Amino acid sequence: MKILVTGSAGMLARDLIPVLKESNEVMPLSKKEMDITQKDAVIKNIKSNAPDIVINCAAYTNVDTAEEESDRAFQVNGIGVQNVAVACAEVQIPLCHVSTDYVFDGRKNKPYTPFDAANPLNIYGESKLAGEKYIQWIMNKFYIVRTSGLYGSGRNNFVMTILKLAKERRAVKVITDQICSPTSTLNLSTGIKKLIESGSFGIYHITDDSGDGISWFDYAREIVSMAGIRADIIPATSEEFPSTSRRPPAKRPAYSVLDTEITRLAVNYTPEKREVALKKFLSRRGISNE
Ligand SMILES: NC(=O)c1ccc[n+]([C@@H]2O[C@H](COP(=O)([O-])OP(=O)(O)OC[C@H]3O[C@@H](n4cnc5c(N)ncnc54)[C@H](OP(=O)(O)O)[C@@H]3O)[C@@H](O)[C@H]2O)c1
């Protein structure tokens, strides 16, 4: 397959592209090369590259600043996705789009299936839900892949942040009252590859396996323990958590674990255990407690 990947400089795309390249031709386009908010450019690029499928990794992903920049968040995550969907529909190719656990409000307290109703608590979640809706209004053939707590290449993710803070401070406050299912971008990439090769269109959840979920606090303890760093991870609630910006952080769902059972049934994708994925990630970076 010829696959066009948008937002190609982002964390997920950087791991996804080599995985796709194992058996496909890949055309990566960064924001500089194709800004998805520019409709004409999107249509022109998709027509001239003539891919068999587009995978949209482009997104506005800063959950906290989205509260103040709601126009920008909707421009990219809503209208930008609409532009990509319109272009794909015009040339009659499917779109695979990446979305988020933050479309849910967290009140279910059990893993969310793709059939549960979305009800985002923050602007980022609302804007991502807008993108999902445009795809469903415009297209017949699409994959929407919701995921959670991504970590992968680069330093801008929870695992790398905890490692850095634990080395610098030896005591790090982490919240206990948000439960999620952290996911390695490498595993998500494998899941996306399997999905787009299946032809089983629809909405799917792909995360690593954390059972009924893990709090960021327990996850941080797991990270420092596996990395062999001596640091105190101190429990905090979201309320008391110190804000790093001028304004309080955006509201987040207290429980946003995604149920991946339908993905297993449809495309035989079985998520890797969170601990195993984390161990592999750390050892790829030469970090271990052994
Ligand atoms: N990270 C997570 O924990 C997480 C959790 C659940 C779901 N997701 C979803 O997973 C997907 C990938 O996330 P990620 O963590 O890889 O995000 P990321 O590292 O922020 O990558 C997003 C990429 O999109 C680019 N971009 C932004 N606006 C664009 C535009 N108008 N046109 C084209 N490209 C644009 C960004 O460029 P600039 O950096 O230059 O702006 C960046 O390279 C997103 O859809 C996100 O919503 C992420």
Side-chain angles (χ1 to χ4, degrees), residues 177-244:
D177 54 2
Q178 282 170 32
I179 312 290
C180 65
S181 35
T183 304
S184 135
T185 48
L186 208 51
N187 283 342
L188 175 59
S189 301
T190 306
I192 289 175
K193 180 166 181 276
K194 248 189 156 163
L195 193 59
I196 62 166
E197 286 168 356
S198 73
S200 301
F201 300 109
I203 301 180
Y204 291 95
H205 291 171
I206 300 181
T207 66
D208 287 342
D209 179 3
S210 283
D212 285 340
I214 187 167
S215 70
W216 291 114
F217 169 75
D218 286 330
Y219 187 41
R221 291 192 354 153
E222 186 168 279
I223 293 165
V224 293
S225 151
M226 258 190 212
I229 301 174
R230 278 176 177 274
D232 286 333
I233 303 296
I234 308 201
T237 63
S238 311
E239 288 273 295
E240 64 184 281
F241 196 74
S243 170
T244 48

Side-chain angles (χ1 to χ4, degrees), residues 261-281:
E261 197 53 16
I262 286 294
T263 316
R264 185 181 67 77
L265 293 177
V267 297
N268 197 25
Y269 176 78
T270 306
E272 187 164 55
K273 292 266 180 220
R274 179 198 66 248
E275 306 89 309
V276 176
L278 179 60
K279 197 164 193 173
K280 286 184 187 167
F281 175 82

Side-chain angles (χ1 to χ4, degrees), residues 10 16 24 29 52 59 80 166 168 233 249 270-271:
L16 177 63
N24 299 282
L29 291 179
D52 299 305
E168 282 171 7
I233 303 296
T270 306

Side-chain angles (χ1 to χ4, degrees), residues 10-12 31 34-36 58-59 61 98-99 124 128 147 150:
M11 179 171 70
L12 169 61
K31 178 159 96 179
M34 185 178 83
D35 180 337
I36 63 166
T61 54
V98 185
S99 193
Y124 167 74
K128 292 295 290 183
T147 189
L150 291 183

Side-chain angles (χ1 to χ4, degrees), residues 32-46:
K32 241 180 165 177
E33 291 157 331
M34 185 178 83
D35 180 337
I36 63 166
T37 66
Q38 304 303 308
K39 189 176 181 181
D40 293 344
V42 171
I43 293 175
K44 197 173 142 215
N45 259 297
I46 291 179

